Amino acid sequence: MNRLEEVQRRDVVSAIFRFQSLFGLVAVFIAAVVFSPTRDGELVFLSSGNLFNILRDVSEIGIIAVGMTFVILIGGIDLSVGAVLGLTAVGSAVLLVEDDFSVLPAVVIVLLVGLGFGLLQGFASAVFGIPSFIVTLAGMQIARGLARKWSGGQGVAIAYGNDPGEAPVPFSLLGERTFNGTVPIPALIFVVVAAVAIVFLRTSAFARHVYAIGGNRKAARLSGVPVTKVSVIVFGICGYLAALAGIVHAGQLNQGSPNDGFGYELDAIAAVVVGGTSLAGGRGSVVGTVAGALLLGVLRNILRLHGVDSDFQLIISGLVIIVVAGLQRLRPAG
């Protein structure tokens, strides 16, 4: 094999790994179509209602996973996002139902709670040099405790109306569908968040700093990248998006509970990893994360349509994640 052929082969292999999440999504989608059950001669999986249900189901995890992508790109991890979702879902319910806040002030307060929580974790990790795994593991416990204190240790149901103890009716839109009752509002929010993040990571100087830190933190610092500042902001972004997912969660389920979001951090990390982002940092994309979240959503949906036991669904999803993570080790450098 001559030099040109070797270069071409490496380019092809690199392209395959770069777009592995998209290839994987297409493969799983085709398999779902082939094995879809039928109803009245129609493929259940391809019905518009089912496809939009998949988008709705992955919207909360997808929003969180976008924020997690930023954190993993700098070589960090955030284990608190599920608990922050629970905290902010509780906050949304309490502010709207018990404290009689209107929608806009309640949403702003809750988003600021998530942003502040993320910034504090980023500060503790970046400034004091504590591994993000430890900081956010502690943050997970703190957020759960704060959620229990805020809610009195129990779930807060959201009923809508104009009387005391009822939330403003506009908040109920988060559980509705638009475009003639077809597209879930949470799915639209996920799409907007993902689109903004994709453009931001492709065009901003901040994004170049994120990739530089993940690629080589010491070299980035020596080249003038404000490593501490960027790291803190990245965790703030992740906390902010976890709070947004908490608001969506409360609107969809009409409640806020301290136990909401349990295990969501693992689902978000799985979506990022399946999407091809390296856990070592410096390599990955939001496009891959979106594809990873959809891949897992499609897989769970087709298993559910066939009535596969939920425990077995977890086993299959886990095996898929292991296989994809294993393939990452075969990816050529550069």
Side-chain angles (χ1 to χ4, degrees):
M1 181 181 296
N2 60 40
R3 178 67 177 174
L4 179 59
E5 291 175 336
E6 175 66 18
V7 171
Q8 290 175 337
R9 187 189 68 82
R10 289 180 61 83
D11 287 344
V12 170
V13 172
S14 296
I16 291 173
F17 276 98
R18 183 181 178 186
F19 299 106
Q20 68 171 47
S21 57
L22 295 176
F23 293 147
L25 175 59
V26 171
V28 171
F29 190 91
I30 292 173
V33 172
V34 171
F35 294 105
S36 172
T38 59
R39 182 183 301 131
D40 298 327
E42 302 287 336
L43 294 176
V44 177
F45 174 77
L46 287 179
S47 66
S48 60
N50 184 66
L51 293 177
F52 282 121
N53 280 340
I54 294 174
L55 283 176
R56 185 195 62 199
D57 290 343
V58 304
S59 59
E60 293 174 26
I61 296 298
I63 293 169
I64 295 175
V66 170
M68 188 70 74
T69 304
F70 281 81
V71 173
I72 291 179
L73 280 173
I74 64 167
I77 201 77
D78 191 341
L79 298 178
S80 71
V81 288
V84 171
L85 180 147
L87 171 63
T88 52
V90 161
S92 300
V94 171
L95 290 173
L96 292 171
V97 174
E98 298 182 2
D99 298 333
D100 294 325
F101 275 72
S102 57
V103 173
L104 183 58
V107 167
V108 170
I109 290 172
V110 168
L111 290 176
L112 288 175
V113 167
L115 175 63
F117 201 91
L119 290 174
L120 287 173
Q121 292 188 126
F123 183 85
S125 179
V127 174
F128 297 110
I130 306 173
S132 58
F133 177 89
I134 301 299
V135 171
T136 59
L137 182 63
M140 177 173 64
Q141 302 297 323
I142 293 169
R144 290 291 178 200
L146 290 173
R148 289 190 174 93
K149 293 293 290 184
W150 204 350
S151 68
Q154 58 188 6
V156 180
I158 300 177
Y160 297 100
N162 298 315
D163 297 326
E166 294 180 329
V169 174
F171 193 75
S172 66
L173 291 175
L174 290 173
E176 301 295 331
R177 296 173 181 248
T178 187
F179 296 110
N180 295 321
T182 57
V183 182
I185 298 294
L188 287 180
I189 296 174
F190 173 37
V191 169
V192 170
V193 167
V196 170
I198 289 168
V199 173
F200 184 68
L201 275 180
R202 288 184 173 179
T203 61
S204 68
F206 181 87
R208 290 192 290 273
H209 291 164
V210 168
Y211 281 102
I213 293 171
N216 189 319
R217 183 175 293 264
K218 183 177 180 180
R221 192 184 300 276
L222 292 175
S223 65
V225 173
V227 173
T228 299
K229 179 181 178 181
V230 171
S231 299
V232 172
I233 292 174
V234 161
F235 276 92
I237 292 172
C238 193
Y240 180 89
L241 291 179
L244 177 60
I247 294 169
V248 172
H249 184 86
Q252 286 202 97
L253 272 65
N254 295 326
Q255 69 150 25
S257 169
N259 297 319
D260 287 342
F262 183 80
Y264 277 31
E265 62 279 353
L266 302 180
D267 289 337
I269 293 170
V272 176
V273 171
V274 170
T277 297
S278 170
L279 286 172
R283 188 167 57 191
S285 69
V286 172
V287 172
T289 294
V290 171
L294 291 174
L295 186 155
L296 294 174
V298 169
L299 179 62
R300 290 169 182 166
N301 178 263
I302 193 63
L303 292 174
R304 194 178 302 127
L305 289 178
H306 281 283
V308 175
D309 180 81
S310 59
D311 295 333
F312 195 61
Q313 291 181 36
L314 292 174
I315 294 172
I316 294 176
S317 298
L319 291 174
V320 169
I321 293 167
I322 291 174
V323 170
V324 173
L327 288 174
Q328 282 292 310
R329 295 184 62 84
L330 303 176
R331 183 173 182 170

